[in-house]
Amino acid sequence: MTNPHSVLIASEEQLKVFSLPKVGAKTKFKLTAHEGCRVRRVAMVTVCSTAQEDYSETSLVCLTNLGDLHLFNVPALRPQVRYDCIRKEDISGIASCVFTKNGQGFYLISPSEYQRFSLSAKVITEPLCTVELERPLETRSLHTNIRSLHTLTSGHYTH
């Protein structure tokens, strides 16, 4: 093989990259030793450049029990950036957090509301949607309104 394959293993305490097929440890990052926190969610995300359309980076995003988001380059596991994302007291928000492949995330802020965030400058989180509701007109109320309008304009109503 010209390009050796690797596998990334994430535990609660550390991230480790192994080379395949002989399963030798290449790199590791102990999150508990560096940050004093535990891994709750991990995902691979692809973040696109705003300046160059054809440039993107694939990174590992890691959510901790403290609500922090850590981005690591792969396969070296070098820390790139750390964000405070979810309050550490918000246990249900941390437990419900999910990531998309383009660097967005969602978590529950109440039993019926999601909070959306983005790790990418290219994919912003402004709401770009509308909801249109169509309500069928009731024929009885429409007929009553027409009759009332006719009575008001002509002064009398004949059926």
Side-chain angles (χ1 to χ4, degrees), residues 16-111:
K16 228 177 203 185
V17 175
F18 294 93
S19 61
L20 295 177
K22 62 180 181 173
V23 191
K26 285 171 63 173
T27 57
K28 73 176 178 178
F29 187 87
K30 286 189 81 117
L31 216 57
T32 53
H34 293 279
E35 304 292 333
C37 53
R38 304 244 181 219
V39 175
R40 290 294 173 244
R41 292 273 188 267
V42 293
M44 297 297 289
V45 297
T46 302
V47 181
C48 298
S49 171
T50 56
Q52 293 177 311
E53 289 292 324
D54 60 341
Y55 181 77
S56 65
E57 290 183 7
T58 300
S59 300
L60 175 75
V61 62
C62 173
L63 175 69
T64 70
N65 63 326
L66 302 177
D68 300 335
L69 286 173
H70 298 261
L71 261 70
F72 298 93
N73 72 340
V74 179
L77 294 180
R78 277 192 314 271
Q80 293 179 323
V81 70
R82 183 184 93 42
Y83 297 109
D84 292 328
C85 183
I86 306 171
R87 290 185 345 262
K88 64 181 174 183
E89 298 85 18
D90 189 0
I91 297 167
S92 66
I94 293 170
S96 66
C97 187
V98 294
F99 300 108
T100 65
K101 61 183 176 183
N102 64 356
Q104 294 185 61
F106 297 89
Y107 65 93
L108 285 172
I109 57 173
S110 78

